Short mmCIF file of all heavy atoms in Angstrom, two decimals:
data_model
loop_
_atom_site.label_atom_id
_atom_site.label_comp_id
_atom_site.label_asym_id
_atom_site.label_seq_id
_atom_site.Cartn_x
_atom_site.Cartn_y
_atom_site.Cartn_z
N VAL A 559 9.67 -7.59 -15.85
CA VAL A 559 10.80 -8.48 -15.52
C VAL A 559 10.41 -9.90 -15.90
O VAL A 559 9.43 -10.43 -15.38
CB VAL A 559 11.14 -8.41 -14.00
CG1 VAL A 559 12.26 -9.40 -13.66
CG2 VAL A 559 11.56 -7.01 -13.60
N ASP A 560 11.16 -10.48 -16.79
CA ASP A 560 10.95 -11.87 -17.20
C ASP A 560 9.48 -12.14 -17.57
O ASP A 560 8.89 -13.14 -17.16
CB ASP A 560 11.40 -12.82 -16.07
CG ASP A 560 11.54 -14.25 -16.55
OD1 ASP A 560 11.85 -14.45 -17.74
OD2 ASP A 560 11.30 -15.18 -15.75
N GLY A 561 8.90 -11.22 -18.30
CA GLY A 561 7.53 -11.43 -18.77
C GLY A 561 6.47 -11.08 -17.74
O GLY A 561 5.28 -11.26 -17.99
N ASN A 562 6.89 -10.60 -16.59
CA ASN A 562 5.92 -10.17 -15.58
C ASN A 562 5.79 -8.65 -15.67
O ASN A 562 6.71 -7.92 -15.27
CB ASN A 562 6.40 -10.55 -14.17
CG ASN A 562 6.62 -12.05 -14.02
OD1 ASN A 562 5.69 -12.80 -13.74
ND2 ASN A 562 7.84 -12.49 -14.24
N LYS A 567 2.87 -13.29 -13.49
CA LYS A 567 2.15 -14.09 -14.49
C LYS A 567 1.83 -15.47 -13.96
O LYS A 567 1.07 -16.22 -14.56
CB LYS A 567 2.98 -14.16 -15.79
CG LYS A 567 4.27 -14.92 -15.63
CD LYS A 567 5.16 -14.83 -16.88
CE LYS A 567 6.41 -15.67 -16.64
NZ LYS A 567 7.52 -15.36 -17.51
N ASN A 568 2.43 -15.86 -12.84
CA ASN A 568 2.10 -17.12 -12.19
C ASN A 568 2.37 -16.97 -10.69
O ASN A 568 2.92 -15.96 -10.26
CB ASN A 568 2.90 -18.28 -12.80
CG ASN A 568 4.40 -18.15 -12.55
OD1 ASN A 568 4.82 -17.84 -11.43
ND2 ASN A 568 5.20 -18.37 -13.57
N VAL A 569 1.98 -17.98 -9.91
CA VAL A 569 2.27 -17.90 -8.48
C VAL A 569 3.33 -18.93 -8.09
O VAL A 569 3.36 -19.41 -6.96
CB VAL A 569 1.00 -18.05 -7.61
CG1 VAL A 569 0.12 -16.82 -7.75
CG2 VAL A 569 0.23 -19.31 -7.97
N SER A 570 4.19 -19.27 -9.05
CA SER A 570 5.26 -20.25 -8.78
C SER A 570 6.50 -19.53 -8.29
O SER A 570 6.67 -18.33 -8.49
CB SER A 570 5.62 -21.00 -10.06
OG SER A 570 4.50 -21.64 -10.57
N LEU A 571 7.40 -20.32 -7.68
CA LEU A 571 8.71 -19.80 -7.34
C LEU A 571 9.50 -19.55 -8.62
O LEU A 571 9.31 -20.24 -9.62
CB LEU A 571 9.45 -20.80 -6.45
CG LEU A 571 8.86 -20.98 -5.05
CD1 LEU A 571 9.53 -22.15 -4.34
CD2 LEU A 571 8.99 -19.71 -4.22
N TRP A 572 10.38 -18.56 -8.56
CA TRP A 572 11.20 -18.22 -9.71
C TRP A 572 12.47 -19.09 -9.77
O TRP A 572 12.80 -19.77 -8.83
CB TRP A 572 11.64 -16.76 -9.64
CG TRP A 572 10.53 -15.77 -9.90
CD1 TRP A 572 9.20 -15.94 -9.66
CD2 TRP A 572 10.69 -14.46 -10.44
NE1 TRP A 572 8.51 -14.81 -10.01
CE2 TRP A 572 9.40 -13.88 -10.49
CE3 TRP A 572 11.78 -13.71 -10.87
CZ2 TRP A 572 9.19 -12.59 -10.97
CZ3 TRP A 572 11.57 -12.42 -11.34
CH2 TRP A 572 10.29 -11.87 -11.40
N TYR A 573 13.15 -18.96 -10.87
CA TYR A 573 14.51 -19.51 -11.04
C TYR A 573 14.59 -21.02 -10.79
O TYR A 573 15.54 -21.51 -10.19
CB TYR A 573 15.48 -18.80 -10.09
CG TYR A 573 15.51 -17.29 -10.21
CD1 TYR A 573 15.41 -16.49 -9.06
CD2 TYR A 573 15.63 -16.66 -11.44
CE1 TYR A 573 15.44 -15.11 -9.16
CE2 TYR A 573 15.67 -15.28 -11.54
CZ TYR A 573 15.57 -14.51 -10.41
OH TYR A 573 15.61 -13.15 -10.49
N GLY A 574 13.56 -21.74 -11.23
CA GLY A 574 13.64 -23.20 -11.16
C GLY A 574 13.73 -23.78 -9.76
O GLY A 574 14.23 -24.90 -9.57
N GLN A 603 4.29 -28.75 -4.90
CA GLN A 603 5.10 -29.82 -5.49
C GLN A 603 5.98 -30.53 -4.46
O GLN A 603 6.45 -31.62 -4.69
CB GLN A 603 5.99 -29.25 -6.60
CG GLN A 603 5.19 -28.73 -7.78
CD GLN A 603 6.12 -28.27 -8.88
OE1 GLN A 603 7.09 -28.93 -9.22
NE2 GLN A 603 5.82 -27.12 -9.46
C1 LIG B 1006 6.65 -18.36 -13.30
O1 LIG B 1006 7.26 -17.09 -13.53
C2 LIG B 1006 8.63 -17.08 -13.18
C3 LIG B 1006 9.11 -15.64 -13.29
O2 LIG B 1006 8.88 -15.12 -14.55
C4 LIG B 1006 9.40 -18.02 -14.09
O3 LIG B 1006 10.75 -18.03 -13.70
C5 LIG B 1006 8.81 -19.41 -13.93
O4 LIG B 1006 9.41 -20.26 -14.85
C6 LIG B 1006 7.31 -19.42 -14.16
N1 LIG B 1006 6.83 -20.74 -13.76
C7 LIG B 1006 5.93 -21.41 -14.45
C8 LIG B 1006 5.53 -22.72 -13.89
O5 LIG B 1006 5.43 -20.98 -15.46
#
Side-chain angles (χ1 to χ4, degrees):
V559 177
D560 194 30
N562 301 275
K567 66 187 182 199
N568 65 45
V569 289
S570 302
L571 292 171
W572 288 29
Y573 305 131
Q603 295 184 44

